[in-house]
Amino acid sequence: QQPVQSPQAVILREGEDAVINCSSSKALYSVHWYRQKHGEAPVFLMILLKGGEQKGHEKISASFNEKKQQSSLYLTASQLSYSGTYFCGTGRGAQKLVFGQGTRLTINP
Amino acid sequence: EAGVAQSPRYKIIEKRQSVAFWCNPISGHATLYWYQQILGQGPKLLIQFQNNGVVDDSQLPKDRFSAERLKGVDSTLKIQPAKLEDSAVYLCASSPGLRNNEQFFGPGTRLTVL
């Protein structure tokens, strides 16, 4: 079952904050976040495991709420380099990752 | 450390022709993945290898797609015959192991079927 991401697209000015959500109808055990710039390969941001932990990466952090079957990615004080399409991927242990449809983030100066 | 290598980077073929893609994962990575990414969508897993064994190929259209990973290193993905709907970017990724590992993606092969 493919996770659902929201919003589908967001446009920000440099320095503004953004939240991207990833929801699943199935129980979540792990959530992976990747960023893909136009014409390039996806690049890993972070993995969150079952347990409700929050992780950080520079000014990008994420939370994982297993009860709500949802993960959120937080981008603080966005930079131009944050532009791209963000994908969440959900999985369980050795099982395959299923990616969402993506959220396109555009940061303007 | 060298990343995941893929070739060719671009391929244009006519429908009903065959095509093959090659992937060389990061040295020492046991798990290798082939994804299909259609424009505007997230990557969809086609097949996952652990060393030279198949872990998951449930979404591989086996009537036309095949993949192998001989000796647990390089891998090839073949489409025969190609259809218009196979136009997509084919991404190869590798990771150190099966469980909850970061996946490292290659640059992809953009396939256009005319």
Side-chain angles (χ1 to χ4, degrees):
Chain A
Q1 195 83 15
Q2 184 181 37
V4 177
Q5 291 185 230
S6 63
Q8 289 190 344
V10 59
I11 300 173
L12 299 175
R13 287 191 180 275
E14 196 172 9
E16 292 182 335
D17 300 340
V19 180
I20 299 171
N21 299 305
C22 174
S23 298
S24 174
S25 58
K26 287 186 149 184
L28 292 180
Y29 293 84
S30 68
V31 179
H32 299 223
W33 285 97
Y34 287 79
R35 177 172 60 209
Q36 185 175 31
K37 292 184 179 287
H38 183 69
E40 299 180 10
V43 174
F44 171 81
L45 293 175
M46 65 189 75
I47 293 175
L48 298 104
L49 303 176
K50 185 178 178 180
E53 64 182 286
Q54 188 157 348
K55 284 200 167 187
H57 176 77
E58 298 177 345
K59 293 182 181 177
I60 301 174
S61 62
S63 63
F64 180 14
N65 188 322
E66 60 197 82
K67 283 187 179 178
K68 291 185 177 179
Q69 296 172 187
Q70 178 177 311
S71 176
S72 296
L73 187 72
Y74 306 94
L75 298 101
T76 306
S78 58
Q79 305 169 13
L80 294 176
S81 61
Y82 288 0
S83 290
T85 301
Y86 289 77
F87 293 99
C88 68
T90 57
R92 177 179 179 174
Q95 288 186 354
K96 66 185 182 188
L97 271 187
V98 180
F99 285 94
Q101 81 279 16
T103 295
R104 178 174 292 185
L105 176 65
T106 303
I107 310 294
N108 292 321
Chain B
E1 177 180 84
V4 177
Q6 288 188 249
S7 67
R9 292 294 313 277
Y10 305 91
K11 191 73 178 178
I12 301 174
I13 61 173
E14 303 217 336
K15 60 183 179 182
R16 291 188 289 274
Q17 285 187 322
S18 61
V19 64
F21 312 127
W22 174 82
C23 173
N24 187 310
I26 292 173
S27 178
H29 280 194
T31 310
L32 185 146
Y33 314 80
W34 281 103
Y35 289 91
Q36 179 192 59
Q37 186 174 27
I38 292 172
L39 187 64
Q41 299 181 19
K44 183 182 88 171
L45 181 71
L46 293 175
I47 189 166
Q48 179 177 339
F49 290 96
Q50 175 70 4
N51 296 311
N52 59 351
V54 176
V55 174
D56 190 307
D57 64 356
S58 57
Q59 297 196 101
L60 186 74
K62 298 180 185 64
D63 58 335
R64 297 184 302 105
F65 286 64
S66 64
E68 60 182 10
R69 190 183 184 196
L70 299 176
K71 300 181 182 178
V73 182
D74 293 8
S75 177
T76 54
L77 176 70
K78 296 179 182 177
I79 307 175
Q80 182 180 7
K83 292 186 175 181
L84 296 177
E85 59 260 37
D86 297 333
S87 293
V89 175
Y90 290 84
L91 294 163
C92 178
S94 70
S95 67
L98 275 177
R99 292 187 171 273
N100 298 318
N101 288 141
E102 169 185 355
Q103 294 185 24
F104 296 81
F105 284 83
T109 297
R110 182 177 297 277
L111 173 67
T112 302
V113 182
L114 302 175

